[in-house]
Amino acid sequence: MLKLHDNPPMKPQNWPRLADVPGRWYVAHTKARREKALVWVLLAEGVAHFLPMTERLTSNRGRRFRSWLPLFSGYVFFAGDRQARQRALATRHVAGVLDVVDRDRFLAELSQIEKALDAGAKLDPYPSIGHGSLCRVRCGPFAGLEGMVVRKNVTRLLLQVEMLGQAAALEIDGSLLEPAA
């Protein structure tokens, strides 16, 4: 298990926002548990990437452990040219690479997750996009985020990445939400 300070950054420090990264975007489908190893290679190659991670607290035999796990297990998002794509495929960490067809929509979805993480949100993986009301956060640090709302015991806003068919769930106070137009 990696120490907390040995984890790769979620995105390169020289790119403040994902929407500002030039080039084509790709989704690397990694081999099992190879997301962080791929990001280290991409960093060394100077390839812009995004690996959203969430902190997990676990305990084993009375000891507590903190770790950072990928929000979308098995996927790393990166941008670049065809050479960057080939370099990613040349590593032994990648099973396949998907081309992003609708760049604007894809970046809009990733930017919501980026904004939530930058604001300190604890996001949880949500395996499939459920049915619910489309809502927007009207105020607070998550203002402007849009997603489907699912209410069980708590209110959750699902920030979806449609290309993966997955979402990230953000617990939120329902009074901060309004219907999206």
Side-chain angles (χ1 to χ4, degrees), residues 145-158:
L145 294 181
E146 287 188 13
M148 300 296 278
V149 173
V150 176
R151 289 185 176 99
K152 291 190 180 176
N153 295 337
V154 295
T155 302
R156 290 192 172 135
L157 183 68
L158 303 182

Side-chain angles (χ1 to χ4, degrees), residues 107-117 144-147 159:
L107 284 177
E109 292 172 353
L110 282 188
S111 293
Q112 292 204 108
I113 293 170
E114 175 189 33
K115 181 178 180 178
L117 289 171
L145 294 181
E146 287 188 13
L159 307 174

Side-chain angles (χ1 to χ4, degrees), residues 71-87:
L71 188 58
F72 302 109
S73 181
Y75 295 100
V76 174
F77 311 105
F78 69 97
D81 54 13
R82 287 281 178 196
Q83 288 179 324
R85 183 183 190 278
Q86 291 302 323
R87 286 194 303 264

Side-chain angles (χ1 to χ4, degrees), residues 41-42 48 66 70 78 97 108-109 125 160:
V41 172
L42 294 176
R66 285 181 12 176
F78 69 97
V97 174
E109 292 172 353
Q160 68 182 23

Side-chain angles (χ1 to χ4, degrees), residues 41-62:
V41 172
L42 294 176
L43 272 172
E45 298 278 339
V47 176
H49 69 276
F50 184 48
L51 176 62
M53 292 188 281
T54 185
E55 186 178 21
R56 291 283 184 242
L57 299 173
T58 57
S59 61
N60 187 7
R61 297 182 184 168

